[in-house]
Coordinates of all heavy atoms in Angstrom, one line a residue:
S1 N 0.8 -1.2 0.0 CA 0.0 0.0 0.0 C 0.9 1.2 -0.1 O 0.4 2.4 0.1 CB -1.0 0.0 1.2 OG -1.9 -1.0 1.2
N2 N 2.2 1.2 0.1 CA 3.1 2.2 0.0 C 4.2 2.2 -0.9 O 4.5 1.0 -1.5 CB 3.7 2.3 1.5 CG 2.6 2.5 2.6 OD1 2.1 3.6 2.8 ND2 2.2 1.3 3.3
T3 N 4.8 3.2 -1.1 CA 6.1 3.3 -2.0 C 7.2 2.7 -1.0 O 7.5 3.2 0.0 CB 6.4 4.7 -2.5 OG1 5.4 5.1 -3.2 CG2 7.7 4.6 -3.2
M4 N 7.8 1.7 -1.6 CA 9.0 1.0 -0.9 C 10.3 1.2 -1.7 O 10.2 1.3 -3.0 CB 8.8 -0.4 -0.7 CG 7.4 -0.7 0.1 SD 7.5 -0.3 1.7 CE 8.8 -1.3 2.4
G5 N 11.5 1.2 -1.0 CA 12.7 1.4 -1.8 C 13.9 0.8 -1.2 O 13.8 0.4 0.1
W6 N 14.9 0.7 -1.9 CA 16.3 0.3 -1.5 C 17.3 1.4 -1.7 O 17.3 1.9 -2.7 CB 16.7 -1.0 -2.1 CG 16.0 -2.2 -1.7 CD1 15.1 -2.8 -2.2 CD2 16.4 -3.0 -0.5 NE1 14.5 -3.9 -1.6 CE2 15.4 -4.1 -0.4 CE3 17.3 -2.9 0.4 CZ2 15.5 -5.1 0.6 CZ3 17.3 -3.9 1.6 CH2 16.3 -4.9 1.4
Y7 N 17.9 1.8 -0.6 CA 19.0 2.7 -0.7 C 20.3 2.1 -0.2 O 20.3 1.0 0.3 CB 18.7 4.0 0.2 CG 17.5 4.9 -0.2 CD1 16.2 4.5 -0.1 CD2 17.7 6.1 -0.6 CE1 15.1 5.2 -0.5 CE2 16.7 7.0 -1.0 CZ 15.5 6.5 -0.9 OH 14.3 7.3 -1.3
R8 N 21.4 2.7 -0.5 CA 22.7 2.3 -0.1 C 23.5 3.4 0.3 O 23.4 4.5 -0.3 CB 23.3 1.3 -1.2 CG 23.7 2.1 -2.4 CD 24.2 1.1 -3.5 NE 24.7 1.7 -4.6 CZ 25.0 1.0 -5.9 NH1 25.0 -0.4 -5.8 NH2 25.4 1.6 -6.9
Q9 N 24.6 3.2 1.1 CA 25.6 4.2 1.6 C 26.9 3.4 1.6 O 27.1 2.6 2.4 CB 25.1 4.8 2.8 CG 26.1 6.0 3.3 CD 25.5 6.8 4.3 OE1 24.7 6.3 5.0 NE2 26.0 8.0 4.5
A10 N 27.8 3.9 0.8 CA 29.2 3.4 0.8 C 30.1 4.4 1.7 O 29.7 5.5 1.9 CB 29.8 3.3 -0.6
P11 N 31.3 3.9 2.3 CA 31.9 4.7 3.1 C 32.4 6.0 2.5 O 32.8 6.0 1.3 CB 33.2 3.8 3.3 CG 32.7 2.4 3.3 CD 31.7 2.5 2.2
G12 N 32.2 7.1 3.1 CA 32.5 8.4 2.5 C 31.6 9.0 1.5 O 31.9 10.0 0.8
K13 N 30.4 8.3 1.2 CA 29.6 8.7 0.3 C 28.1 9.0 0.9 O 27.8 8.5 2.0 CB 29.4 7.8 -0.9 CG 30.7 7.6 -1.6 CD 30.5 6.5 -2.8 CE 31.8 6.4 -3.7 NZ 31.6 5.6 -4.8
Q14 N 27.4 9.7 0.2 CA 26.1 10.1 0.7 C 25.1 8.9 0.4 O 25.3 8.1 -0.6 CB 25.3 11.3 0.1 CG 26.1 12.5 0.5 CD 25.4 13.9 -0.1 OE1 24.7 13.7 -1.1 NE2 25.6 14.9 0.5
R15 N 24.1 8.7 1.1 CA 23.1 7.6 0.7 C 22.3 7.9 -0.5 O 22.0 9.0 -0.8 CB 22.0 7.5 1.9 CG 21.1 6.3 1.8 CD 20.1 6.2 3.2 NE 21.0 5.9 4.3 CZ 20.4 5.7 5.5 NH1 19.1 5.7 5.7 NH2 21.4 5.6 6.5
E16 N 22.2 6.9 -1.3 CA 21.6 7.1 -2.7 C 20.5 6.1 -2.8 O 20.5 4.9 -2.3 CB 22.6 7.0 -3.8 CG 23.2 5.6 -3.8 CD 24.3 5.5 -5.1 OE1 24.1 6.4 -6.0 OE2 25.0 4.5 -5.1
L17 N 19.5 6.5 -3.7 CA 18.4 5.5 -4.0 C 18.9 4.6 -5.0 O 19.6 4.9 -6.0 CB 17.3 6.3 -4.6 CG 16.1 5.5 -5.2 CD1 15.3 4.8 -4.1 CD2 15.1 6.4 -6.0
V18 N 18.6 3.3 -4.8 CA 19.0 2.2 -5.7 C 17.9 1.8 -6.4 O 17.9 1.8 -7.7 CB 19.6 1.0 -5.0 CG1 19.9 -0.2 -5.9 CG2 20.8 1.4 -4.1
A19 N 16.8 1.4 -5.9 CA 15.5 1.1 -6.6 C 14.3 1.3 -5.8 O 14.4 1.5 -4.6 CB 15.6 -0.4 -6.9
G20 N 13.2 1.6 -6.4 CA 12.0 2.0 -5.8 C 10.7 1.3 -6.4 O 10.9 1.0 -7.6
I21 N 9.7 1.0 -5.7 CA 8.4 0.5 -6.2 C 7.3 1.1 -5.6 O 7.2 1.2 -4.4 CB 8.5 -1.0 -6.1 CG1 7.2 -1.7 -6.8 CG2 8.6 -1.5 -4.6 CD1 7.3 -3.2 -7.0
T22 N 6.4 1.6 -6.4 CA 5.2 2.3 -5.9 C 4.1 1.2 -5.6 O 4.1 0.1 -5.8 CB 4.6 3.3 -6.8 OG1 4.0 2.5 -8.0 CG2 5.6 4.1 -7.4
S23 N 3.0 1.8 -5.0 CA 1.8 0.9 -4.5 C 1.2 0.3 -5.8 O 0.4 -0.7 -5.6 CB 1.0 1.7 -3.8 OG 0.5 2.7 -4.5
T24 N 1.3 0.9 -7.0 CA 0.7 0.4 -8.2 C 1.7 -0.4 -8.9 O 1.4 -0.9 -10.1 CB 0.2 1.7 -9.0 OG1 1.3 2.4 -9.4 CG2 -0.9 2.3 -8.3
G25 N 2.9 -0.7 -8.5 CA 3.9 -1.6 -9.1 C 5.0 -0.9 -10.1 O 5.6 -1.5 -10.7

C-alpha cells in the first residue's frame, strides 16, 4: 500500500536511491 525502496551508502559517500516500487507496481 506504500512506496518502498532500497537505498545504499558506501563509506565516505551520501546515501543514494538504488531502486523503488510504488503501490501500483
Side-chain angles (χ1 to χ4, degrees):
S1 298
N2 302 281
T3 296
M4 305 290 294
W6 287 95
Y7 290 72
R8 68 186 180 189
Q9 186 167 21
K13 298 183 179 180
Q14 294 185 337
R15 187 173 298 185
E16 64 175 345
L17 174 68
V18 176
I21 184 168
T22 71
S23 61
T24 57

